[in-house]
Amino acid sequence: MESLADARWIEPFEPQDPGAGLRPAYLLRRSFVLTEAPTQARVDATAHGVYELFVNGQRVGDEELAPGFTAYRTRLQVQSWDIAGLLRPGHNVIGAILSDGWFRGRHGFVRHADGFGARTALLAAVHVTFPRGETGTIVTDADWQSTPGHITRADLMDGQTVDFRLYDASWCMAEPEGETQAGALIWHPVALGEGALYDDRRRLVPNEGPRPRRIETLAPAAIAAPRPGTVVVDFGQNINGWVRLERLGPAGTRLTLTHGEALDAAGLVTTDHLRAFDFATGAVLPAGQVDEVISAGRQSDVFEPRHTTHGFRYVQLDGVVEAPSADEIRAVVVHTDLRRVGTFACSDAQLNAFHDAAVWSFRGNACDIPTDCPQRERSGFTGDWQVFVAAAALVYDVRAFSEKWLRDLAADQWADGRVPTIVPNPGGDRPSGHAFEDMSAGSAGWGDAAVLVPWELWRSYGDIEILARQLPSMRRWVDYAAGCAASARHPERAARRPHPSDHEQYLWDSGFHFGEWLEPGVEPNPDPTVDHGIVATAFLHRSAHLVARAAALLGDAATAAHYDAIAEGARQAWRAEYVRAHARLTEESQANYVRGLAFGLFPERQAREAAARLAQLIAENGGRLATGFLSTGQLLQALADNGQERTAFEVLRSRGVPSWLGMLERGATTIWEWWDGVDGDTVRGSLNHYSKGAAMSFLYTHIAGIRMRAEPTPLEAGYRRVTIAPLVGGGLTWASASVETEHGLVSSAWRLEGDTLRLEVEIPPGCTAEIRLPDGSPRPLRPGQHTLTLPV
């Protein structure tokens, strides 16, 4: 960026690296003199690490965790703020607090550090304009100084330690005589950053989309003292963020704050279920999420750690001398400041609670990137977002949030077209040297995010530029998958059938795949020798089909025909290999039937037979689902759209394990990773994994009935054309939903009144709509508000 052309990257003075998880946040500062107050002043800044900026002791902006998480080697966001009101004639000071953040802090399941580099650094420029038009610039350069500060430990996963005895409020204040030394702190010259990454200014990009902020605070729901010196606070809701704490105790008091999602039998916070392991050694790793604060005895000190985040409902305070009151402790909810666009409510309080849990689960996993969970990995797992993005778009405006992430996906895509399992990927666009991360890159259902996410954004927002920008990445992924299918066979299939059938050139049965993942009663088996062909071939068809549709929308008929051929080849391969008479599958599972129906893999004449068999499998499972990670969000629609509406409602409202309402019965406030995440005193896996909450979309599209075509034309996408088709049943007596679209509000609300259905609909200007009546016949609707009374 031109505004930073004269600035130099500066590194804090760090003669010895304390090691991952133990590194402090560094203070950096520079004083400067202004002859008069500027009429305009802007600061542009970014960092390798997480930074906060200050001018004359005042924090700049209200964003958190800047510069955010991107594919730093290719794309690094620059933040800009107006600071004219913070500058004054005479001596001024600009300063920053800089910590490891995502750049060199711990990250991912095995908590690797130094993923993007071994040193933190700051880049900044202040541009001022004076009343008579003169201009001036203050940049990061060798005149800056640094020192370790009061934040003696800062890591996004491990936590943060603040020693208020070391805090010097004057660190970023201008001395009357313009001294460059602040208080009792010992300052050192910064080092100038050298090397290819520093030299590459092409990677600097303006900030894209909304930023993480402190969204709201939660008061304690309960406070307990399970043992002397220990206080456990229940905030009543699982969140992402941190704790703000007053009353820190007498000078020298050391409080330890352990954050978690569950309590053990003794009423203490447990994080055992969040502990990951090293794939190479099998060693169990710490869960992290531990903050510390050491009091200076000042009543004015407030602990609020802004260089870490935690996924938690409970916090345990150890070392308590003076227990905080309910007014002195708060949970601070931190996530990207997304605009709310959707609402849902119905006559069943439990379904409303499920909706709220799914929304909270997304909020807990929307901290600058879409993550899998806010505690154990905190990574941008591709599979999670492709599963959930359509549901998220019904509740929040996720367009810019997702587009930013897709740019990182394209940047991190490997040369052969495969997509890494997590984005942004510390390994970048090539193998990282970490065995599991490298092995899992290119898994079906995860890599397909390269295609499925931009397609869902096109459907929801109707901007063809999303497809135009992402089409090269989409094509590269499908080319990789199709190449895998054509070039290799699973060894067991090759042994059974030494001469491959013609359809096998489109049968993707080789390489590593997660498969359906976390089906009830099926232990996860991340083994590249397992044959997941029935899953991978289905996704090859789906992604190739959507690439063809995208190319057609963009006017590229030749490309569309090429990928249509791949899509049809994969569909025929799936049918030849896995479908038998009466729509029976050779590998029967609820998930495989759901996927076949959702992706149009069954012959049309067999779709209802397949749905009936799916319903039978559900009945044999006690009326409960048995789907896992990839297909749970498609289950209810697959049933309802193929003549099994009653079963869809039965599954939605079922209880026990596995079920959504069963989670709520056992205290869930967010969606769990495992269906049996809590069983008495036993806790398993993350309790904030939104993927299974993707079924929330059924509440909007079917119960309230706000629908779009799965493959819209440019005149239909982005809710330009809407079908209102509420699904009345399941014992519900009323339901309502609304979505604030690019064109205005779409809403549908129905209520049973005796033997009639009262339906209220709003369609925004410039859109067309139709109501699908209970007998299946359509009725056109103009924009505006409509009230209809229909026979049931």
Side-chain angles (χ1 to χ4, degrees):
M1 293 180 67
E2 185 63 29
S3 64
L4 290 166
D6 295 329
R8 295 290 303 274
W9 280 100
I10 58 172
E11 299 174 346
F13 177 75
E14 188 180 60
Q16 185 174 355
D17 183 354
L22 300 174
R23 296 160 175 155
Y26 290 95
L27 307 180
L28 299 95
R29 76 189 300 266
R30 180 189 169 176
S31 62
F32 57 95
V33 176
L34 298 178
T35 57
E36 57 184 326
T39 55
Q40 298 177 23
R42 186 188 81 247
V43 61
D44 299 324
T46 189
H48 290 169
V50 161
Y51 76 100
E52 298 176 81
L53 211 60
F54 296 80
V55 173
N56 294 327
Q58 298 295 310
R59 188 170 186 257
V60 177
D62 62 352
E63 301 87 346
E64 304 295 342
L65 306 173
F69 193 14
T70 53
Y72 295 130
R73 296 180 187 88
T74 307
R75 295 170 11 84
L76 177 62
Q77 295 183 117
V78 175
Q79 288 71 49
S80 299
W81 293 280
D82 181 347
I83 58 170
L86 301 179
L87 297 175
R88 58 191 180 224
H91 296 289
N92 293 265
V93 172
I94 181 171
I97 301 177
L98 177 65
S99 65
D100 283 6
W102 291 281
F103 189 85
R104 75 165 185 173
R106 296 193 189 277
H107 177 255
F109 186 82
V110 293
R111 303 163 62 83
H112 294 303
D114 303 334
F116 295 90
R119 296 297 301 268
T120 55
L122 179 72
L123 184 71
V126 176
H127 299 274
V128 296
T129 302
F130 296 104
R132 288 178 293 277
E134 301 97 327
T135 61
T137 304
I138 301 95
V139 299
T140 45
D141 56 19
D143 292 333
W144 284 61
Q145 297 178 311
S146 75
T147 187
H150 56 289
I151 302 175
T152 60
R153 178 183 65 97
D155 185 87
L156 286 179
M157 297 192 77
D158 283 358
Q160 179 172 325
T161 298
V162 174
D163 189 342
F164 277 107
R165 298 172 302 179
L166 304 178
Y167 178 64
D168 187 340
S170 68
W171 77 270
C172 192
M173 300 291 289
E175 300 291 335
E177 66 279 11
E179 293 288 337
T180 59
Q181 301 295 317
L185 296 172
I186 300 174
W187 294 86
H188 304 274
V190 298
L192 296 179
E194 303 287 348
L197 193 60
Y198 290 130
D199 293 340
D200 184 5
R201 300 297 179 97
R202 296 170 301 175
R203 64 195 177 101
L204 301 181
V205 298
N207 202 93
E208 299 166 338
R211 307 181 193 178
R213 285 185 168 88
R214 292 169 285 180
I215 302 299
E216 64 177 295
T217 60
L218 303 181
I223 300 177
R227 65 187 180 194
T230 296
V231 169
V232 174
V233 182
D234 176 6
F235 292 103
Q237 176 62 55
N238 204 0
I239 68 164
N240 178 74
W242 51 65
V243 165
R244 187 172 71 216
L245 178 64
E246 303 175 31
R247 190 190 291 268
L248 304 180
T253 300
R254 180 185 290 268
L255 297 175
T256 302
L257 291 78
T258 303
H259 304 74
E261 301 176 311
L263 302 180
D264 64 16
L268 301 174
V269 170
T270 178
T271 57
D272 288 348
H273 60 290
L274 298 175
R275 297 181 67 182
F277 59 89
D278 189 304
F279 287 102
T281 66
V284 177
L285 304 173
Q289 301 217 122
V290 178
D291 294 337
E292 295 175 298
V293 56
I294 303 168
S295 174
R298 296 184 294 259
Q299 290 188 352
S300 59
D301 287 338
V302 176
F303 175 67
E304 185 171 351
R306 295 199 294 259
H307 289 254
T308 190
T309 62
H310 309 299
F312 69 102
R313 171 178 171 172
Y314 305 94
V315 66
Q316 177 176 310
L317 282 67
D318 288 305
V320 174
V321 176
E322 302 174 23
S325 69
D327 294 330
E328 294 169 327
I329 187 168
R330 288 289 185 271
V332 182
V333 179
V334 179
H335 58 72
T336 298
D337 192 6
L338 300 169
R339 180 173 64 93
R340 184 73 183 256
V341 298
T343 64
F344 172 84
C346 70
S347 58
D348 187 327
Q350 285 297 294
L351 291 186
N352 295 336
F354 162 58
H355 174 268
D356 291 346
V359 171
W360 270 107
S361 208
F362 172 55
R363 294 178 65 183
N365 284 287
C367 193
D368 203 59
I369 64 168
T371 56
D372 61 327
C373 58
Q375 6 65 8
R376 190 183 62 213
E377 288 115 345
R378 313 179 189 204
S379 298
F381 273 82
T382 49
D384 297 66
W385 195 228
Q386 74 86 359
V387 164
F388 198 80
V389 62
L394 291 166
V395 185
Y396 285 97
D397 181 353
V398 296
R399 176 177 172 176
F401 175 77
S402 300
E403 288 181 313
K404 165 182 169 288
W405 183 80
L406 283 171
R407 291 186 178 98
D408 292 319
L409 184 150
D412 284 342
Q413 198 165 3
W414 291 14
D416 63 4
R418 82 181 76 185
V419 174
T421 303
I422 60 172
V423 170
N425 186 35
D429 59 356
R430 64 203 65 193
S432 65
H434 299 303
F436 182 76
E437 288 91 331
D438 292 346
M439 177 186 71
S440 64
S443 172
W446 275 253
D448 292 279
V451 175
L452 302 180
V453 173
W455 183 261
E456 289 302 332
L457 296 181
W458 152 249
R459 288 188 66 246
S460 296
Y461 303 107
D463 183 359
I464 198 70
E465 288 303 313
I466 295 172
L467 295 179
R469 184 172 56 250
Q470 293 302 132
L471 185 61
S473 171
M474 297 164 72
R475 292 181 61 180
R476 289 174 61 206
W477 165 252
V478 174
D479 290 346
Y480 166 76
C484 290
S487 63
R489 303 178 70 205
H490 193 275
E492 294 179 3
R493 182 167 286 102
R496 291 195 309 268
R497 203 159 59 212
H499 299 289
S501 302
D502 290 343
H503 69 263
E504 288 191 53
Q505 65 177 312
Y506 296 105
L507 188 70
W508 190 12
D509 61 351
S510 60
F512 174 88
H513 301 285
F514 287 102
E516 173 64 12
W517 197 249
L518 301 190
E519 291 170 277
V522 179
E523 285 298 314
N525 186 18
D527 183 342
T529 66
V530 175
D531 182 358
H532 288 297
I534 194 170
V535 177
T537 305
F539 275 98
L540 174 57
H541 161 74
R542 182 60 177 162
S543 284
H545 175 71
L546 293 182
V547 169
R549 300 283 69 71
L553 288 166
L554 293 165
D556 188 344
T559 296
H562 173 73
Y563 288 99
D564 267 332
I566 295 174
E568 186 58 25
R571 174 156 50 193
Q572 294 303 326
W574 196 87
R575 291 175 178 175
E577 194 72 22
Y578 304 114
V579 183
R580 297 296 177 260
H582 306 295
R584 289 296 184 98
L585 294 176
T586 59
E587 297 182 25
E588 285 211 304
S589 71
Q590 291 185 26
N592 287 334
Y593 279 101
V594 169
R595 201 160 13 254
L597 290 165
F599 291 173
L601 291 166
F602 289 102
E604 188 174 347
R605 67 182 184 281
Q606 289 188 329
R608 292 212 163 219
E609 283 186 290
R613 178 55 180 160
L614 172 60
Q616 185 178 358
L617 292 176
I618 291 170
E620 292 171 359
N621 197 43
R624 296 193 182 95
L625 54 78
T627 49
F629 189 94
L630 291 176
S631 67
T632 293
Q634 301 165 323
L635 169 64
L636 300 177
Q637 291 93 326
L639 288 165
D641 291 346
N642 292 281
Q644 298 294 329
E645 298 91 341
R646 182 185 297 274
T647 301
F649 274 115
E650 289 173 354
V651 171
L652 175 61
R653 303 189 71 185
S654 66
R655 298 170 187 268
V657 180
S659 69
W660 296 283
L661 302 190
M663 293 185 191
L664 301 178
E665 287 178 325
R666 285 171 290 157
T669 63
T670 48
I671 303 300
W672 297 343
E673 179 181 21
W674 295 80
W675 290 109
D676 57 349
V678 176
D679 184 6
D681 292 333
T682 301
V683 185
R684 187 184 196 192
S686 163
L687 301 185
N688 196 349
H689 247 72
Y690 56 49
S691 61
K692 295 179 175 68
M696 170 182 68
S697 61
F698 183 80
L699 308 179
Y700 288 81
T701 62
H702 285 66
I703 291 181
I706 300 174
R707 308 191 196 188
M708 282 192 300
R709 284 184 58 188
E711 298 176 14
T713 70
L715 295 178
E716 297 171 330
Y719 294 91
R720 291 183 181 90
R721 179 168 181 79
V722 182
T723 297
I724 303 296
L727 188 59
V728 179
L732 300 179
T733 59
W734 63 269
S736 66
S738 65
V739 179
E740 185 69 39
T741 74
E742 300 286 291
H743 312 285
L745 188 71
V746 174
S747 67
S748 171
W750 60 265
R751 181 179 296 274
L752 288 175
E753 297 177 347
D755 57 357
T756 63
L757 176 72
R758 179 182 175 86
L759 179 62
E760 297 178 353
V761 176
E762 183 171 352
I763 305 299
C767 298
T768 60
E770 69 177 24
I771 291 180
R772 193 175 301 158
L773 302 177
D775 63 3
S777 60
R779 177 186 295 182
L781 278 184
R782 291 184 175 184
Q785 297 179 341
H786 306 269
T787 300
L788 298 91
T789 301
L790 306 169
V792 179

